[in-house]
Amino acid sequence: MSDAPEVPKEPVVTPVRVIIALCLLAPFVAMLWVGSYAKVDPAFIGIPFFYWYQMLWVLLSTVLTVIAYKLWQLDQRGRKTRSGGAAE
């Protein structure tokens, strides 16, 4: 056992990381819940709901993934500055 003072660790689960997880899980939940979109109406420019809903989630997934990535970068940058610049 060393006599070095113990450095308090930052919490692993933070509000930013919860938001990141929600951004990444939302598309999976939306696509796995098939009963919510397994219908024809309302059609959009002649395309049944079943198809355009899935295509909409392709775009939403991209936006949510970018948001999660930017939040992750912000979180890592903050952790690095709070730990004195030491890389983990």
mmCIF file of all heavy atoms in Angstrom, residues 15-59:
data_model
loop_
_atom_site.group_PDB
_atom_site.id
_atom_site.type_symbol
_atom_site.label_atom_id
_atom_site.label_comp_id
_atom_site.label_asym_id
_atom_site.label_seq_id
_atom_site.Cartn_x
_atom_site.Cartn_y
_atom_site.Cartn_z
ATOM 1 N N PRO A 15 -24.937 13.544 -16.279
ATOM 2 C CA PRO A 15 -26.088 13.922 -17.105
ATOM 3 C C PRO A 15 -25.764 13.968 -18.599
ATOM 4 O O PRO A 15 -26.587 13.568 -19.428
ATOM 5 C CB PRO A 15 -26.454 15.311 -16.587
ATOM 6 C CG PRO A 15 -25.989 15.316 -15.171
ATOM 7 C CD PRO A 15 -24.746 14.479 -15.169
ATOM 8 N N VAL A 16 -24.566 14.423 -18.946
ATOM 9 C CA VAL A 16 -24.181 14.481 -20.363
ATOM 10 C C VAL A 16 -24.123 13.073 -20.944
ATOM 11 O O VAL A 16 -24.591 12.826 -22.059
ATOM 12 C CB VAL A 16 -22.825 15.199 -20.535
ATOM 13 C CG1 VAL A 16 -22.328 15.088 -21.958
ATOM 14 C CG2 VAL A 16 -22.935 16.645 -20.121
ATOM 15 N N ARG A 17 -23.579 12.137 -20.204
ATOM 16 C CA ARG A 17 -23.488 10.764 -20.700
ATOM 17 C C ARG A 17 -24.849 10.096 -20.793
ATOM 18 O O ARG A 17 -25.074 9.247 -21.657
ATOM 19 C CB ARG A 17 -22.537 9.952 -19.828
ATOM 20 C CG ARG A 17 -21.104 10.382 -20.037
ATOM 21 C CD ARG A 17 -20.144 9.532 -19.275
ATOM 22 N NE ARG A 17 -18.775 9.938 -19.596
ATOM 23 C CZ ARG A 17 -17.719 9.216 -19.284
ATOM 24 N NH1 ARG A 17 -17.860 8.074 -18.649
ATOM 25 N NH2 ARG A 17 -16.520 9.637 -19.593
ATOM 26 N N VAL A 18 -25.777 10.474 -19.932
ATOM 27 C CA VAL A 18 -27.147 9.951 -20.027
ATOM 28 C C VAL A 18 -27.802 10.463 -21.304
ATOM 29 O O VAL A 18 -28.468 9.717 -22.027
ATOM 30 C CB VAL A 18 -27.970 10.339 -18.778
ATOM 31 C CG1 VAL A 18 -29.442 10.016 -18.966
ATOM 32 C CG2 VAL A 18 -27.423 9.644 -17.541
ATOM 33 N N ILE A 19 -27.593 11.739 -21.632
ATOM 34 C CA ILE A 19 -28.137 12.304 -22.865
ATOM 35 C C ILE A 19 -27.524 11.614 -24.080
ATOM 36 O O ILE A 19 -28.220 11.308 -25.056
ATOM 37 C CB ILE A 19 -27.907 13.827 -22.912
ATOM 38 C CG1 ILE A 19 -28.729 14.506 -21.821
ATOM 39 C CG2 ILE A 19 -28.247 14.401 -24.285
ATOM 40 C CD1 ILE A 19 -28.405 15.962 -21.617
ATOM 41 N N ILE A 20 -26.224 11.348 -24.022
ATOM 42 C CA ILE A 20 -25.555 10.630 -25.118
ATOM 43 C C ILE A 20 -26.188 9.258 -25.305
ATOM 44 O O ILE A 20 -26.494 8.849 -26.434
ATOM 45 C CB ILE A 20 -24.045 10.501 -24.835
ATOM 46 C CG1 ILE A 20 -23.367 11.866 -24.926
ATOM 47 C CG2 ILE A 20 -23.395 9.510 -25.790
ATOM 48 C CD1 ILE A 20 -21.937 11.879 -24.402
ATOM 49 N N ALA A 21 -26.411 8.548 -24.212
ATOM 50 C CA ALA A 21 -27.011 7.214 -24.305
ATOM 51 C C ALA A 21 -28.417 7.277 -24.884
ATOM 52 O O ALA A 21 -28.787 6.446 -25.722
ATOM 53 C CB ALA A 21 -27.036 6.563 -22.919
ATOM 54 N N LEU A 22 -29.202 8.273 -24.482
ATOM 55 C CA LEU A 22 -30.556 8.410 -25.020
ATOM 56 C C LEU A 22 -30.536 8.720 -26.509
ATOM 57 O O LEU A 22 -31.360 8.198 -27.271
ATOM 58 C CB LEU A 22 -31.319 9.503 -24.259
ATOM 59 C CG LEU A 22 -31.674 9.170 -22.814
ATOM 60 C CD1 LEU A 22 -32.300 10.379 -22.133
ATOM 61 C CD2 LEU A 22 -32.587 7.965 -22.742
ATOM 62 N N CYS A 23 -29.591 9.558 -26.927
ATOM 63 C CA CYS A 23 -29.466 9.873 -28.359
ATOM 64 C C CYS A 23 -29.138 8.626 -29.174
ATOM 65 O O CYS A 23 -29.613 8.467 -30.299
ATOM 66 C CB CYS A 23 -28.377 10.921 -28.584
ATOM 67 S SG CYS A 23 -28.841 12.583 -28.114
ATOM 68 N N LEU A 24 -28.326 7.751 -28.615
ATOM 69 C CA LEU A 24 -27.924 6.552 -29.348
ATOM 70 C C LEU A 24 -28.956 5.428 -29.262
ATOM 71 O O LEU A 24 -29.044 4.595 -30.164
ATOM 72 C CB LEU A 24 -26.567 6.064 -28.847
ATOM 73 C CG LEU A 24 -25.397 7.023 -29.105
ATOM 74 C CD1 LEU A 24 -24.129 6.480 -28.465
ATOM 75 C CD2 LEU A 24 -25.198 7.268 -30.586
ATOM 76 N N LEU A 25 -29.750 5.400 -28.209
ATOM 77 C CA LEU A 25 -30.744 4.341 -28.046
ATOM 78 C C LEU A 25 -32.072 4.641 -28.721
ATOM 79 O O LEU A 25 -32.802 3.706 -29.096
ATOM 80 C CB LEU A 25 -30.987 4.070 -26.561
ATOM 81 C CG LEU A 25 -29.868 3.333 -25.835
ATOM 82 C CD1 LEU A 25 -30.172 3.232 -24.354
ATOM 83 C CD2 LEU A 25 -29.683 1.954 -26.426
ATOM 84 N N ALA A 26 -32.405 5.904 -28.899
ATOM 85 C CA ALA A 26 -33.706 6.283 -29.465
ATOM 86 C C ALA A 26 -33.987 5.622 -30.815
ATOM 87 O O ALA A 26 -35.088 5.085 -31.015
ATOM 88 C CB ALA A 26 -33.819 7.800 -29.555
ATOM 89 N N PRO A 27 -33.051 5.635 -31.768
ATOM 90 C CA PRO A 27 -33.349 4.984 -33.052
ATOM 91 C C PRO A 27 -33.620 3.481 -32.935
ATOM 92 O O PRO A 27 -34.479 2.944 -33.635
ATOM 93 C CB PRO A 27 -32.082 5.234 -33.882
ATOM 94 C CG PRO A 27 -31.447 6.420 -33.268
ATOM 95 C CD PRO A 27 -31.770 6.339 -31.819
ATOM 96 N N PHE A 28 -32.908 2.813 -32.041
ATOM 97 C CA PHE A 28 -33.124 1.370 -31.860
ATOM 98 C C PHE A 28 -34.515 1.099 -31.313
ATOM 99 O O PHE A 28 -35.223 0.217 -31.807
ATOM 100 C CB PHE A 28 -32.067 0.777 -30.919
ATOM 101 C CG PHE A 28 -30.711 0.706 -31.524
ATOM 102 C CD1 PHE A 28 -29.736 1.627 -31.173
ATOM 103 C CD2 PHE A 28 -30.391 -0.261 -32.458
ATOM 104 C CE1 PHE A 28 -28.473 1.569 -31.737
ATOM 105 C CE2 PHE A 28 -29.132 -0.330 -33.028
ATOM 106 C CZ PHE A 28 -28.175 0.594 -32.663
ATOM 107 N N VAL A 29 -34.903 1.859 -30.320
ATOM 108 C CA VAL A 29 -36.232 1.676 -29.730
ATOM 109 C C VAL A 29 -37.311 1.970 -30.765
ATOM 110 O O VAL A 29 -38.283 1.219 -30.908
ATOM 111 C CB VAL A 29 -36.400 2.570 -28.485
ATOM 112 C CG1 VAL A 29 -37.822 2.538 -27.975
ATOM 113 C CG2 VAL A 29 -35.425 2.141 -27.399
ATOM 114 N N ALA A 30 -37.137 3.048 -31.509
ATOM 115 C CA ALA A 30 -38.136 3.429 -32.513
ATOM 116 C C ALA A 30 -38.283 2.361 -33.590
ATOM 117 O O ALA A 30 -39.401 2.069 -34.028
ATOM 118 C CB ALA A 30 -37.750 4.765 -33.139
ATOM 119 N N MET A 31 -37.184 1.765 -34.016
ATOM 120 C CA MET A 31 -37.252 0.776 -35.090
ATOM 121 C C MET A 31 -37.663 -0.605 -34.589
ATOM 122 O O MET A 31 -38.274 -1.375 -35.334
ATOM 123 C CB MET A 31 -35.909 0.678 -35.815
ATOM 124 C CG MET A 31 -35.570 1.891 -36.645
ATOM 125 S SD MET A 31 -36.660 2.128 -38.060
ATOM 126 C CE MET A 31 -37.900 3.226 -37.412
ATOM 127 N N LEU A 32 -37.367 -0.933 -33.357
ATOM 128 C CA LEU A 32 -37.754 -2.242 -32.824
ATOM 129 C C LEU A 32 -39.226 -2.313 -32.443
ATOM 130 O O LEU A 32 -39.783 -3.399 -32.315
ATOM 131 C CB LEU A 32 -36.876 -2.598 -31.616
ATOM 132 C CG LEU A 32 -35.433 -2.945 -31.959
ATOM 133 C CD1 LEU A 32 -34.637 -3.162 -30.675
ATOM 134 C CD2 LEU A 32 -35.363 -4.182 -32.830
ATOM 135 N N TRP A 33 -39.861 -1.152 -32.235
ATOM 136 C CA TRP A 33 -41.274 -1.107 -31.877
ATOM 137 C C TRP A 33 -42.093 -1.041 -33.166
ATOM 138 O O TRP A 33 -42.709 -0.033 -33.500
ATOM 139 C CB TRP A 33 -41.524 0.077 -30.970
ATOM 140 C CG TRP A 33 -42.897 0.172 -30.407
ATOM 141 C CD1 TRP A 33 -43.821 -0.818 -30.299
ATOM 142 C CD2 TRP A 33 -43.487 1.350 -29.867
ATOM 143 N NE1 TRP A 33 -44.956 -0.338 -29.721
ATOM 144 C CE2 TRP A 33 -44.781 0.982 -29.444
ATOM 145 C CE3 TRP A 33 -43.059 2.643 -29.687
ATOM 146 C CZ2 TRP A 33 -45.641 1.905 -28.865
ATOM 147 C CZ3 TRP A 33 -43.918 3.546 -29.111
ATOM 148 C CH2 TRP A 33 -45.189 3.182 -28.700
ATOM 149 N N VAL A 34 -42.104 -2.140 -33.907
ATOM 150 C CA VAL A 34 -42.696 -2.201 -35.239
ATOM 151 C C VAL A 34 -44.193 -1.923 -35.203
ATOM 152 O O VAL A 34 -44.737 -1.291 -36.113
ATOM 153 C CB VAL A 34 -42.420 -3.570 -35.898
ATOM 154 C CG1 VAL A 34 -43.079 -3.665 -37.261
ATOM 155 C CG2 VAL A 34 -40.928 -3.805 -36.005
ATOM 156 N N GLY A 35 -44.872 -2.333 -34.170
ATOM 157 C CA GLY A 35 -46.315 -2.117 -34.074
ATOM 158 C C GLY A 35 -46.717 -0.650 -34.135
ATOM 159 O O GLY A 35 -47.842 -0.324 -34.519
ATOM 160 N N SER A 36 -45.807 0.239 -33.802
ATOM 161 C CA SER A 36 -46.137 1.662 -33.810
ATOM 162 C C SER A 36 -46.158 2.252 -35.215
ATOM 163 O O SER A 36 -46.750 3.297 -35.440
ATOM 164 C CB SER A 36 -45.143 2.433 -32.940
ATOM 165 O OG SER A 36 -43.864 2.462 -33.563
ATOM 166 N N TYR A 37 -45.513 1.602 -36.169
ATOM 167 C CA TYR A 37 -45.462 2.163 -37.522
ATOM 168 C C TYR A 37 -45.845 1.161 -38.611
ATOM 169 O O TYR A 37 -45.703 1.454 -39.788
ATOM 170 C CB TYR A 37 -44.077 2.760 -37.818
ATOM 171 C CG TYR A 37 -42.925 1.792 -37.807
ATOM 172 C CD1 TYR A 37 -42.507 1.156 -38.965
ATOM 173 C CD2 TYR A 37 -42.222 1.530 -36.636
ATOM 174 C CE1 TYR A 37 -41.437 0.285 -38.970
ATOM 175 C CE2 TYR A 37 -41.148 0.662 -36.622
ATOM 176 C CZ TYR A 37 -40.763 0.041 -37.791
ATOM 177 O OH TYR A 37 -39.701 -0.817 -37.777
ATOM 178 N N ALA A 38 -46.382 0.025 -38.245
ATOM 179 C CA ALA A 38 -46.791 -0.990 -39.228
ATOM 180 C C ALA A 38 -48.192 -0.681 -39.743
ATOM 181 O O ALA A 38 -49.166 -1.377 -39.455
ATOM 182 C CB ALA A 38 -46.731 -2.377 -38.610
ATOM 183 N N LYS A 39 -48.289 0.411 -40.512
ATOM 184 C CA LYS A 39 -49.573 0.808 -41.084
ATOM 185 C C LYS A 39 -49.333 1.581 -42.377
ATOM 186 O O LYS A 39 -48.202 1.978 -42.670
ATOM 187 C CB LYS A 39 -50.368 1.646 -40.089
ATOM 188 C CG LYS A 39 -49.605 2.813 -39.502
ATOM 189 C CD LYS A 39 -50.369 3.439 -38.362
ATOM 190 C CE LYS A 39 -49.501 4.464 -37.659
ATOM 191 N NZ LYS A 39 -50.102 4.998 -36.478
ATOM 192 N N VAL A 40 -50.381 1.772 -43.134
ATOM 193 C CA VAL A 40 -50.265 2.435 -44.430
ATOM 194 C C VAL A 40 -50.500 3.938 -44.303
ATOM 195 O O VAL A 40 -49.809 4.737 -44.916
ATOM 196 C CB VAL A 40 -51.271 1.822 -45.431
ATOM 197 C CG1 VAL A 40 -51.247 2.574 -46.751
ATOM 198 C CG2 VAL A 40 -50.960 0.353 -45.636
ATOM 199 N N ASP A 41 -51.477 4.316 -43.511
ATOM 200 C CA ASP A 41 -51.834 5.738 -43.375
ATOM 201 C C ASP A 41 -51.146 6.353 -42.172
ATOM 202 O O ASP A 41 -50.947 5.681 -41.159
ATOM 203 C CB ASP A 41 -53.344 5.890 -43.247
ATOM 204 C CG ASP A 41 -54.062 5.555 -44.537
ATOM 205 O OD1 ASP A 41 -53.496 5.861 -45.598
ATOM 206 O OD2 ASP A 41 -55.174 4.998 -44.467
ATOM 207 N N PRO A 42 -50.755 7.585 -42.206
ATOM 208 C CA PRO A 42 -50.938 8.583 -43.260
ATOM 209 C C PRO A 42 -49.841 8.460 -44.313
ATOM 210 O O PRO A 42 -48.664 8.320 -44.000
ATOM 211 C CB PRO A 42 -50.824 9.908 -42.527
ATOM 212 C CG PRO A 42 -49.908 9.628 -41.380
ATOM 213 C CD PRO A 42 -50.177 8.196 -40.992
ATOM 214 N N ALA A 43 -50.254 8.516 -45.535
ATOM 215 C CA ALA A 43 -49.302 8.472 -46.654
ATOM 216 C C ALA A 43 -48.715 9.868 -46.859
ATOM 217 O O ALA A 43 -49.356 10.869 -46.581
ATOM 218 C CB ALA A 43 -49.995 7.996 -47.915
ATOM 219 N N PHE A 44 -47.480 9.912 -47.315
ATOM 220 C CA PHE A 44 -46.793 11.178 -47.590
ATOM 221 C C PHE A 44 -46.328 11.146 -49.042
ATOM 222 O O PHE A 44 -45.522 10.288 -49.406
ATOM 223 C CB PHE A 44 -45.608 11.351 -46.634
ATOM 224 C CG PHE A 44 -44.775 12.565 -46.879
ATOM 225 C CD1 PHE A 44 -45.284 13.825 -46.641
ATOM 226 C CD2 PHE A 44 -43.479 12.452 -47.354
ATOM 227 C CE1 PHE A 44 -44.524 14.949 -46.864
ATOM 228 C CE2 PHE A 44 -42.708 13.563 -47.584
ATOM 229 C CZ PHE A 44 -43.230 14.820 -47.339
ATOM 230 N N ILE A 45 -46.855 12.033 -49.841
ATOM 231 C CA ILE A 45 -46.647 12.095 -51.293
ATOM 232 C C ILE A 45 -46.748 10.710 -51.951
ATOM 233 O O ILE A 45 -45.947 10.336 -52.796
ATOM 234 C CB ILE A 45 -45.337 12.821 -51.685
ATOM 235 C CG1 ILE A 45 -44.092 12.141 -51.123
ATOM 236 C CG2 ILE A 45 -45.380 14.278 -51.293
ATOM 237 C CD1 ILE A 45 -42.768 12.701 -51.652
ATOM 238 N N GLY A 46 -47.745 9.967 -51.507
ATOM 239 C CA GLY A 46 -47.998 8.655 -52.084
ATOM 240 C C GLY A 46 -47.207 7.509 -51.476
ATOM 241 O O GLY A 46 -47.372 6.364 -51.861
ATOM 242 N N ILE A 47 -46.328 7.806 -50.531
ATOM 243 C CA ILE A 47 -45.500 6.773 -49.897
ATOM 244 C C ILE A 47 -46.175 6.333 -48.594
ATOM 245 O O ILE A 47 -46.474 7.177 -47.741
ATOM 246 C CB ILE A 47 -44.083 7.307 -49.604
ATOM 247 C CG1 ILE A 47 -43.425 7.801 -50.889
ATOM 248 C CG2 ILE A 47 -43.235 6.242 -48.924
ATOM 249 C CD1 ILE A 47 -42.128 8.559 -50.661
ATOM 250 N N PRO A 48 -46.423 5.040 -48.409
ATOM 251 C CA PRO A 48 -47.055 4.571 -47.173
ATOM 252 C C PRO A 48 -46.223 4.934 -45.931
ATOM 253 O O PRO A 48 -45.002 5.039 -45.981
ATOM 254 C CB PRO A 48 -47.112 3.055 -47.353
ATOM 255 C CG PRO A 48 -47.021 2.832 -48.818
ATOM 256 C CD PRO A 48 -46.182 3.947 -49.346
ATOM 257 N N PHE A 49 -46.945 5.129 -44.834
ATOM 258 C CA PHE A 49 -46.318 5.519 -43.568
ATOM 259 C C PHE A 49 -45.173 4.592 -43.186
ATOM 260 O O PHE A 49 -44.126 5.039 -42.712
ATOM 261 C CB PHE A 49 -47.380 5.537 -42.461
ATOM 262 C CG PHE A 49 -46.848 5.942 -41.118
ATOM 263 C CD1 PHE A 49 -46.523 7.256 -40.853
ATOM 264 C CD2 PHE A 49 -46.668 5.004 -40.110
ATOM 265 C CE1 PHE A 49 -46.037 7.636 -39.616
ATOM 266 C CE2 PHE A 49 -46.185 5.371 -38.873
ATOM 267 C CZ PHE A 49 -45.870 6.698 -38.620
ATOM 268 N N PHE A 50 -45.356 3.286 -43.381
ATOM 269 C CA PHE A 50 -44.356 2.296 -43.013
ATOM 270 C C PHE A 50 -42.980 2.621 -43.590
ATOM 271 O O PHE A 50 -41.963 2.473 -42.929
ATOM 272 C CB PHE A 50 -44.806 0.909 -43.494
ATOM 273 C CG PHE A 50 -43.863 -0.206 -43.158
ATOM 274 C CD1 PHE A 50 -43.838 -0.727 -41.877
ATOM 275 C CD2 PHE A 50 -43.006 -0.723 -44.102
ATOM 276 C CE1 PHE A 50 -42.969 -1.758 -41.546
ATOM 277 C CE2 PHE A 50 -42.137 -1.754 -43.785
ATOM 278 C CZ PHE A 50 -42.116 -2.268 -42.504
ATOM 279 N N TYR A 51 -42.965 3.090 -44.839
ATOM 280 C CA TYR A 51 -41.690 3.382 -45.501
ATOM 281 C C TYR A 51 -41.137 4.752 -45.151
ATOM 282 O O TYR A 51 -39.948 4.904 -44.856
ATOM 283 C CB TYR A 51 -41.837 3.259 -47.019
ATOM 284 C CG TYR A 51 -42.132 1.855 -47.444
ATOM 285 C CD1 TYR A 51 -43.361 1.523 -48.010
ATOM 286 C CD2 TYR A 51 -41.196 0.845 -47.276
ATOM 287 C CE1 TYR A 51 -43.640 0.227 -48.387
ATOM 288 C CE2 TYR A 51 -41.467 -0.454 -47.654
ATOM 289 C CZ TYR A 51 -42.684 -0.759 -48.202
ATOM 290 O OH TYR A 51 -42.963 -2.041 -48.568
ATOM 291 N N TRP A 52 -41.968 5.801 -45.191
ATOM 292 C CA TRP A 52 -41.406 7.122 -44.942
ATOM 293 C C TRP A 52 -41.021 7.318 -43.482
ATOM 294 O O TRP A 52 -40.104 8.075 -43.172
ATOM 295 C CB TRP A 52 -42.281 8.260 -45.482
ATOM 296 C CG TRP A 52 -43.593 8.547 -44.819
ATOM 297 C CD1 TRP A 52 -44.819 8.192 -45.255
ATOM 298 C CD2 TRP A 52 -43.810 9.308 -43.627
ATOM 299 N NE1 TRP A 52 -45.782 8.669 -44.415
ATOM 300 C CE2 TRP A 52 -45.198 9.361 -43.405
ATOM 301 C CE3 TRP A 52 -42.976 9.946 -42.720
ATOM 302 C CZ2 TRP A 52 -45.767 10.020 -42.325
ATOM 303 C CZ3 TRP A 52 -43.531 10.611 -41.636
ATOM 304 C CH2 TRP A 52 -44.915 10.642 -41.450
ATOM 305 N N TYR A 53 -41.677 6.611 -42.571
ATOM 306 C CA TYR A 53 -41.302 6.681 -41.160
ATOM 307 C C TYR A 53 -39.882 6.138 -40.968
ATOM 308 O O TYR A 53 -39.066 6.732 -40.267
ATOM 309 C CB TYR A 53 -42.307 5.879 -40.323
ATOM 310 C CG TYR A 53 -41.999 5.859 -38.844
ATOM 311 C CD1 TYR A 53 -42.352 6.928 -38.041
ATOM 312 C CD2 TYR A 53 -41.381 4.762 -38.248
ATOM 313 C CE1 TYR A 53 -42.085 6.921 -36.672
ATOM 314 C CE2 TYR A 53 -41.114 4.738 -36.890
ATOM 315 C CZ TYR A 53 -41.467 5.823 -36.118
ATOM 316 O OH TYR A 53 -41.199 5.811 -34.771
ATOM 317 N N GLN A 54 -39.561 5.026 -41.611
ATOM 318 C CA GLN A 54 -38.221 4.453 -41.504
ATOM 319 C C GLN A 54 -37.170 5.353 -42.145
ATOM 320 O O GLN A 54 -36.066 5.511 -41.615
ATOM 321 C CB GLN A 54 -38.193 3.071 -42.142
ATOM 322 C CG GLN A 54 -39.009 2.060 -41.362
ATOM 323 C CD GLN A 54 -38.993 0.718 -42.020
ATOM 324 O OE1 GLN A 54 -37.948 0.083 -42.088
ATOM 325 N NE2 GLN A 54 -40.142 0.289 -42.525
ATOM 326 N N MET A 55 -37.508 5.954 -43.277
ATOM 327 C CA MET A 55 -36.569 6.877 -43.936
ATOM 328 C C MET A 55 -36.343 8.125 -43.087
ATOM 329 O O MET A 55 -35.230 8.650 -43.023
ATOM 330 C CB MET A 55 -37.090 7.280 -45.317
ATOM 331 C CG MET A 55 -37.039 6.163 -46.333
ATOM 332 S SD MET A 55 -35.344 5.675 -46.699
ATOM 333 C CE MET A 55 -35.218 4.127 -45.837
ATOM 334 N N LEU A 56 -37.382 8.579 -42.407
ATOM 335 C CA LEU A 56 -37.238 9.723 -41.494
ATOM 336 C C LEU A 56 -36.262 9.381 -40.371
ATOM 337 O O LEU A 56 -35.423 10.208 -39.984
ATOM 338 C CB LEU A 56 -38.600 10.110 -40.926
ATOM 339 C CG LEU A 56 -38.617 11.249 -39.913
ATOM 340 C CD1 LEU A 56 -38.179 12.549 -40.582
ATOM 341 C CD2 LEU A 56 -39.999 11.400 -39.305
ATOM 342 N N TRP A 57 -36.330 8.145 -39.881
ATOM 343 C CA TRP A 57 -35.417 7.740 -38.810
ATOM 344 C C TRP A 57 -33.969 7.621 -39.280
ATOM 345 O O TRP A 57 -33.046 7.731 -38.476
ATOM 346 C CB TRP A 57 -35.884 6.454 -38.128
ATOM 347 C CG TRP A 57 -36.789 6.793 -36.992
ATOM 348 C CD1 TRP A 57 -38.139 6.689 -36.962
ATOM 349 C CD2 TRP A 57 -36.402 7.344 -35.733
ATOM 350 N NE1 TRP A 57 -38.614 7.143 -35.760
ATOM 351 C CE2 TRP A 57 -37.573 7.544 -34.977
ATOM 352 C CE3 TRP A 57 -35.187 7.685 -35.156
ATOM 353 C CZ2 TRP A 57 -37.559 8.072 -33.695
ATOM 354 C CZ3 TRP A 57 -35.170 8.212 -33.872
ATOM 355 C CH2 TRP A 57 -36.341 8.403 -33.161
ATOM 356 N N VAL A 58 -33.750 7.416 -40.552
ATOM 357 C CA VAL A 58 -32.380 7.427 -41.073
ATOM 358 C C VAL A 58 -31.784 8.814 -40.862
ATOM 359 O O VAL A 58 -30.659 8.962 -40.374
ATOM 360 C CB VAL A 58 -32.341 7.023 -42.564
ATOM 361 C CG1 VAL A 58 -30.975 7.282 -43.164
ATOM 362 C CG2 VAL A 58 -32.736 5.570 -42.728
ATOM 363 N N LEU A 59 -32.554 9.841 -41.207
ATOM 364 C CA LEU A 59 -32.084 11.219 -41.010
ATOM 365 C C LEU A 59 -31.968 11.568 -39.526
ATOM 366 O O LEU A 59 -30.973 12.170 -39.092
ATOM 367 C CB LEU A 59 -33.023 12.194 -41.715
ATOM 368 C CG LEU A 59 -33.140 12.038 -43.226
ATOM 369 C CD1 LEU A 59 -34.212 12.959 -43.780
ATOM 370 C CD2 LEU A 59 -31.802 12.284 -43.887
#
